[in-house]
């Protein structure tokens, strides 16, 4: 049984965090009004200029522009168009920044100071980084996944529905390649496919076998380093400052 979405929203309101984010769509009007009453800021993740405009109209305080380079699930509002309307981050940042009047946070394929500086110059107010932190000890992911991230070239990752039923960028593992072969059966819809692969993924984690894991990774995975999260943040900040002067 899926979690009760309304109950989750109520729990968020009770906790009253400073910021909440969203992916794969927009919050209902009623919830947005309640968030604003409690002065909770809403950061809506978008994958196209059109989605960014929708988010602004719906009351988002900022948009997180997710380029197609990003690891993990695609945040597209319409899952049927998630693979056909993939936009690279550089084009997306400038397009979104020109189209909305709220801050833009850039994410997807940013893993060093060069990426951060470029995003800021293109119009982003901030960046969101994921894969670059996965090799940090604080992430506590399996060693085989962390090692694979450090070796992955951009072309070694792929958008696939085979792990959860929704499009997501993963390392092209043996399971993903086999499950995406022309002769393989199509994946079940989300979250059925996620349930079907859960036993395999759990076993893979115990065995430290990346071939069967849910090994999310963005296209700049190779830039991730096995450093503490604090060291990563400090290094990225210093690299960015040196480039922007």
């Amino acid at each position: 049984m899926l979690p009760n979405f309304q109950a989750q929203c109520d729990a968020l309101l009770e906790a009253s965090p400073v910021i909440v984010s969203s992916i794969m769509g927009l919050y209902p009007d009623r919830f947005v009004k309640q968030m604003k009453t409690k002065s909770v800021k809403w950061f809506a993740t978008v994958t196209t200029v059109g989605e960014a405009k929708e988010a602004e109209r719906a009351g988002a305080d900022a948009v997180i522009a997710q380029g197609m380079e990003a690891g993990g699930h695609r945040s597209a509002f319409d899952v049927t168009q998630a693979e056909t309307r993939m936009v690279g981050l550089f084009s997306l940042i400038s397009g979104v920044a020109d189209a909305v009047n709220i801050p833009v946070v850039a994410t997807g394929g940013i893993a060093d100071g060069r990426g951060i500086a470029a995003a800021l110059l293109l119009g982003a107010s901030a960046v969101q980084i994921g894969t670059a932190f996965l090799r940090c000890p604080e992430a506590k992911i399996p060693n085989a996944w962390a090692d694979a991230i450090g070796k992955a070239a951009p072309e070694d990752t792929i958008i696939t529905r085979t792990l959860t039923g929704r499009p997501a960028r993963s390392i092209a593992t043996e399971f993903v390649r086999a499950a995406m072969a022309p002769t393989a059966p199509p994946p079940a819809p989300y979250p059925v496919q996620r349930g079907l692969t859960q036993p395999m993924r759990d076993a893979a984690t115990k065995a430290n076998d990346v071939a069967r894991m849910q090994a999310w990774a963005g296209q700049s995975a190779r830039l991730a380093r096995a450093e503490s999260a604090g060291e990563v943040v400090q290094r990225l900040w210093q690299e960015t400052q040196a480039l922007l002067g």
Side-chain angles (χ1 to χ4, degrees):
M1 180 179 294
L2 292 175
N4 184 298
F5 183 67
Q6 183 57 54
Q8 291 177 317
C9 288
D10 291 341
L12 270 176
L13 289 171
E14 185 176 349
S16 292
V18 176
I19 299 169
V20 299
S21 63
S22 60
I23 63 170
M24 303 175 188
L26 302 173
Y27 286 123
D29 290 343
R30 172 177 169 273
F31 182 60
V32 174
K33 291 176 182 176
Q34 290 175 312
M35 280 195 293
K36 292 188 178 297
T37 298
K38 287 181 168 284
S39 298
V40 176
K41 300 298 183 183
W42 170 28
F43 285 26
T45 308
V46 302
T47 62
T48 66
V49 171
E51 290 177 354
K53 291 179 178 179
E54 285 185 56
E56 184 177 37
R57 287 194 296 268
D61 297 288
V63 288
I64 302 170
Q66 184 195 53
M68 67 179 186
E69 303 92 337
H73 282 111
R74 300 288 301 143
S75 298
F77 293 2
D78 184 349
V79 68
T80 65
Q81 297 184 7
E83 291 126 312
T84 58
R85 300 179 69 188
M86 295 200 300
V87 184
L89 185 62
F90 279 13
S91 296
L92 186 61
I93 295 171
S94 55
V96 171
D98 290 344
V100 301
N101 295 307
I102 53 178
V104 178
V105 179
T107 191
I110 299 175
D112 63 9
R114 294 173 296 179
I116 297 171
L120 296 177
L121 289 171
L122 286 168
S125 297
V127 301
Q128 177 177 289
I129 297 174
T131 305
F133 285 102
L134 287 182
R135 297 188 70 199
C136 300
E138 294 91 338
K140 297 181 179 179
I141 66 172
N143 292 335
W145 180 9
D147 290 343
I149 286 173
K151 300 173 184 175
E155 62 269 27
D156 293 332
T157 69
I158 191 169
I159 298 291
T160 181
R161 293 179 182 241
T162 60
L163 290 160
T164 67
R166 285 194 70 109
R169 186 172 293 282
S170 164
I171 293 173
T173 63
E174 290 179 29
F175 169 76
V176 168
R177 292 196 300 270
M180 292 181 71
T183 55
Y190 177 90
V192 176
Q193 183 72 8
R194 186 169 190 161
L196 292 174
T197 62
Q198 187 73 53
M200 175 192 71
R201 292 186 285 111
D202 289 345
T205 297
K206 291 179 181 179
N208 197 36
D209 177 15
V210 74
R212 298 173 292 153
M213 284 181 192
Q214 180 176 287
W216 298 148
Q219 288 189 312
S220 294
R222 181 186 56 81
L223 298 176
R225 298 186 189 177
E227 302 171 332
S228 72
E231 289 173 324
V232 172
V233 171
Q234 186 175 36
R235 173 172 55 80
L236 294 182
W237 178 239
Q238 291 172 343
E239 290 175 356
T240 306
Q241 285 185 309
L243 288 168
L244 295 180

